[in-house]
């Protein structure tokens, strides 16, 4: 692929943290979040609800499919880097199932993983391709849609996490970490950043050397999940739909 929009090799300056394009994307995300909140009551209606939920599902799936196809097209697809085992990749897939099934049990995990992980990724992206490369659009569309999917479940569907939800999210996060460690051993990859720190600046840089930052991340995850829980402290969780079987 010779198009500058799709090429694998960067020509010119790579992505810069808090550059104009990065700030514009963050502002657009805030606008989308504000619109979701403003129209939350309208989106509870039957047809509008379906359009919103399945529109997000299509966007999420298309970003993941396009990402996989791009790697295949430019010849960079490897099990070392492209398996959907990063936290946000798993959150993306869980968000799709959550939106379709309206599963409260999935929401309990995806809410914390999605907003915590994708929010961190939006602020400090592990991204090298600048605007207007395909990977720039893919990265921010995918992570922004994950956040919107989780907020849709809160504001439109009326779901509420409980304090116990934090424990469930941490338990499954550690289970995912074990899977990532095993896959990293077999492939030489760095899924969940469990083999080494990300190349771009991130919160992990302040959590000590490898492997101790993995322990530090446990505490950070709990604190982040607790902060995400605080708006719902003392509030009753919404009942899951009667059609939910999970």
């Amino acid at each position: 692929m010779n198009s500058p929009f799709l090429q694998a090799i960067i020509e010119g300056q790579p992505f810069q943290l808090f550059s104009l394009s990065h700030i514009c994307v963050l502002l657009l995300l805030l606008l989308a979040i504000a619109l979701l909140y403003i129209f939350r009551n309208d989106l509870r209606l039957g047809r509008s609800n379906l359009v919103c939920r399945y529109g997000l599902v299509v966007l999420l799936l298309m970003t993941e499919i396009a990402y996989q196809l791009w790697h295949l097209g430019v010849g960079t697809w490897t099990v070392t880097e492209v398996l959907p085992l990063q936290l946000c990749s798993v959150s993306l897939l869980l968000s799709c199932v959550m939106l379709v099934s309206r599963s409260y049990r999935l929401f309990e995990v995806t809410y914390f993983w999605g907003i915590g992980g994708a929010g961190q990724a939006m602020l400090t992206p592990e991204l090298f391709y600048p605007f207007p490369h395909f990977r720039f659009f893919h990265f921010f569309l995918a992570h922004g849609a994950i956040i919107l999917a989780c907020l849709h479940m809160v504001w439109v569907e009326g779901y509420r996490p409980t304090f116990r939800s934090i424990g469930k999210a941490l338990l499954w996060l550690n289970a995912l970490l074990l899977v990532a460690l095993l896959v990293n051993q077999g492939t030489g990859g760095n899924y969940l950043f469990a083999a080494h720190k990300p190349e771009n600046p991130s919160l992990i840089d302040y959590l000590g050397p490898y492997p101790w930052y993995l322990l530090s991340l446990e505490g950070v995850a709990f604190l982040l999940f607790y902060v995400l829980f605080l708006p719902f402290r003392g509030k009753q969780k919404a009942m899951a739909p009667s059609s939910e079987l999970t």
Side-chain angles (χ1 to χ4, degrees):
M1 295 185 181
N2 296 321
S3 169
F5 178 71
L6 294 171
Q7 65 188 9
I9 300 175
I10 302 173
E11 294 182 357
Q13 193 174 39
F15 173 82
Q16 297 294 312
L17 189 65
F18 298 125
S19 59
L20 178 61
S21 58
H22 186 198
I23 292 173
C24 286
V25 165
L26 294 178
L27 291 175
L28 287 173
L29 175 62
L30 291 175
L31 175 61
I33 290 172
L35 291 174
L36 178 63
Y37 182 78
I38 291 169
F39 293 105
R40 65 192 184 282
N41 292 326
D42 297 323
L43 293 173
R44 290 175 184 147
L45 303 177
R47 184 173 180 81
S48 297
N49 185 283
L50 286 174
V51 170
C52 185
R53 284 193 295 120
Y54 283 91
L56 284 170
V57 169
V58 170
L59 177 58
L60 288 163
L61 288 179
M62 289 302 295
T63 57
E64 181 62 24
I65 292 170
Y67 175 67
Q68 299 290 335
L69 290 177
W70 176 76
H71 274 290
L72 289 170
V74 299
T76 57
W77 198 101
T78 66
V79 294
T80 305
E81 296 183 359
V82 190
L83 295 178
L85 282 176
Q86 297 288 17
L87 182 61
C88 288
S89 299
V90 178
S91 297
L92 183 151
L93 298 176
L94 290 180
S95 294
C96 291
V97 180
M98 174 185 69
L99 287 165
V100 172
S101 67
R102 301 165 86 178
S103 168
Y104 179 77
R105 294 181 183 179
L106 277 179
F107 166 77
E108 287 185 282
V109 173
T110 309
Y111 169 77
F112 294 107
W113 288 15
I115 296 183
Q120 169 69 18
M122 293 288 290
L123 289 173
T124 58
E126 177 69 358
L127 178 67
F128 300 95
Y129 295 92
F131 177 87
H133 194 275
F134 158 76
R135 282 285 287 117
F136 179 94
F137 289 104
H138 156 264
F139 185 94
F140 289 111
L141 278 174
H143 289 84
I146 292 171
I147 295 172
L148 291 174
C150 295
L151 293 176
H152 171 93
M153 299 306 292
V154 173
W155 291 334
V156 180
E157 304 299 333
Y159 287 8
R160 303 288 184 267
T162 66
F163 187 75
R164 290 182 61 188
S165 302
I166 297 177
K168 294 177 183 179
L170 288 172
L171 178 64
W172 285 108
L173 181 58
N174 279 279
L176 181 61
L177 176 60
L178 289 177
V179 174
L181 287 169
L182 292 174
V183 173
N184 288 343
Q185 285 290 324
T187 65
N190 187 31
Y191 295 108
L192 289 189
F193 304 119
H196 58 79
K197 296 182 180 183
E199 300 296 333
N200 282 3
S202 72
L203 174 65
I204 298 177
D205 293 333
Y206 303 97
L207 300 181
Y210 179 86
W212 304 112
Y213 70 78
L214 295 176
L215 294 176
S216 301
L217 279 172
E218 294 280 349
V220 170
F222 174 78
L223 289 175
L224 178 58
F225 291 177
Y226 186 74
V227 169
L228 291 172
F229 163 71
L230 283 177
F232 310 101
R233 187 178 179 183
K235 296 180 180 179
Q236 179 68 31
K237 74 177 178 67
M239 295 297 292
S242 59
S243 60
E244 182 188 329
L245 300 178
T246 54

